[in-house]
Amino acid sequence: MQHCVLRKYLVKNCVSVLDPFCGSGTALHVAQEIVPNIHLVGNDINPLAHLITKVKLEGVSTRIKKDIENVIQKLNNFHEEVSLHNFIRIDKWFRSDIIVSLSKIRQVIINVKNKRNRRYFWYIFSNLVRKYSNSRSSTFKLHIKQTEKIEMMCNEVVADFCARIRSDVEYFIHKPANLSLHKMDILNLLPSLKDNSIDLTVTSPPYGDNATTVTYGEFSWLALNWIDPRDLEMEGWEISNSHIIDSKSLGGSRKEKDIVCSPEQLMLLNEFTIGITKEKRKKVEHFFADYFLVLSHIARITSKYIILTLGNRTVDGVKISLLEISQRHLKNNGYDIEAIYEREIVNKRIPKTTSCVNGKCVLSMNDEYILIAKKRNVF
Ligand SMILES: C[S@@+](CC[C@H](N)C(=O)[O-])C[C@H]1O[C@@H](n2cnc3c(N)ncnc32)[C@H](O)[C@@H]1O
C-alpha cells in the first residue's frame, strides 16, 4: 500500500522525505526503493524502533556472511562460562533455561566487531526475546501467560536464532541509505527544521496516547533490557520502567511541557467529543494539543505533499475521527486534500471489539485511511 501511494506522490524532483514517527522504518524503506538516493529523515522516541530502522536502512556490511557463520559456530561450541544477564523482574518474564540461552547469544553478539552487523543480530535477537518471554503474544502490553503455557514452551532459542540470522539476511544486503535518523520526542525535533525544507512527509502518527491505544514502549521493554545499551540510542530514562516510553510519547503524561489546545482547536475538537465523559475528554484534548502542534510544524516544514495513515479511535463509545480532524487542521494550515484511501487493518494484535460501554461492545480501530494533502499554490 505504502509502495503504491509513494510511487504516485514521490514526484521526480523530490529529494527529501520525512517520517516523524518512523516506527520500524517501513515508509522510509519504501521511499528509498523508489528513489534510491533520496535524503531520508526519520525519527522515533523509542530506541528499539530507532535500532530496527537503522538496520533496515543502513543494512549490513559485506562481511556479514562470515560473521553469521562465526556466530553460529561460537553458539554451537559454547564452552565459556555464561555470564547470566539480569534486570528487574527478569525471572517473572523469562524461564531460567531461557535466560541461559538468551544470555549466551547476548554474549556472542557483544563480541561481533562490525557495528552494522551487530545491530542486525540485535534485531533478530529482539524478536526472539519477545517470542520466548512469558508474556502473551496476543497483546502489546506485558501480560503474563498461564503457568501451563509457560511450562509447555519449548526452548529452541539458539537454533531459532541461528536459522533466522541466515534466512533473513538477504533483505539487509544493500547500500546504506542517505539517512538522518533521530531518537527523540518529535516535539523537540520539529522546531529545528526549516520551512519547506522537506519535499514530502509520510507518516502514521499515534491515534491517541500510547497508554490507551497501542503501548509501543511496553511492547519493546523486554528487548530493550536485553540489548547492549551501547548499541541503542538512549538518553538514559528509557528503561527505568516499562511505562516510561509510553508516558513520554505523544499525548502522554509527561509533566515538563504543558501544551494546551488553542480556543480554535478546542472548537474543532468539541464537535467530535460530545458524549465523552469530562475526565476522558481532558485526556483526548491533551493528546490533540500535542497532535495539532506536530501537524502544524509538519505543514510548515513540508513543501509538497503530506501523507498520513490514520485510524479513528473510539472513546466512551464516541468515534473520534482523526481523519476528519486532520483534514480540517491541514486545510487551515495551507493544504488541499488531494485523495483519501481506505483499507482494513491487517494482522491486528488488538481485538476487533474492546471494552464494553453501557453493556454494548465497542469496536476498536479496524479501518485505516490514507490521507494525501498537497501544499497550496506551490506547483
Ligand atoms: C503508528 S506508529 C508508526 C508505525 C510505523 N509507521 C511503522 O511502520 O512501524 C507511531 C510511532 O510513533 C512513535 N511516537 C509516539 N510518540 C512520539 C513522540 N512524541 N516522538 C516521537 N515518536 C513518537 C511511537 O514510538 C511509534 O513508533
Side-chain angles (χ1 to χ4, degrees), residues 347-360:
N347 295 332
K348 251 172 75 89
R349 210 177 260 264
I350 302 173
K352 279 204 169 207
T353 54
T354 51
S355 46
C356 275
V357 175
N358 302 331
K360 285 188 190 148

Side-chain angles (χ1 to χ4, degrees), residues 21-24 26 43-45 184-186 204 206 216 249-250:
F21 302 103
C22 67
S24 60
T26 311
N43 177 67
D44 203 286
I45 197 167
M184 57 204 287
D185 182 346
I186 193 62
S204 167
Y216 293 101
S249 293
L250 214 70

Side-chain angles (χ1 to χ4, degrees), residues 212 275-277 280-281 284 313-320 357 362:
T212 60
I276 298 179
T277 54
K280 288 197 180 160
R281 190 189 286 212
V284 171
R313 64 182 298 227
T314 305
V315 177
D316 275 347
V318 176
K319 189 181 94 175
I320 303 182
V357 175
V362 174

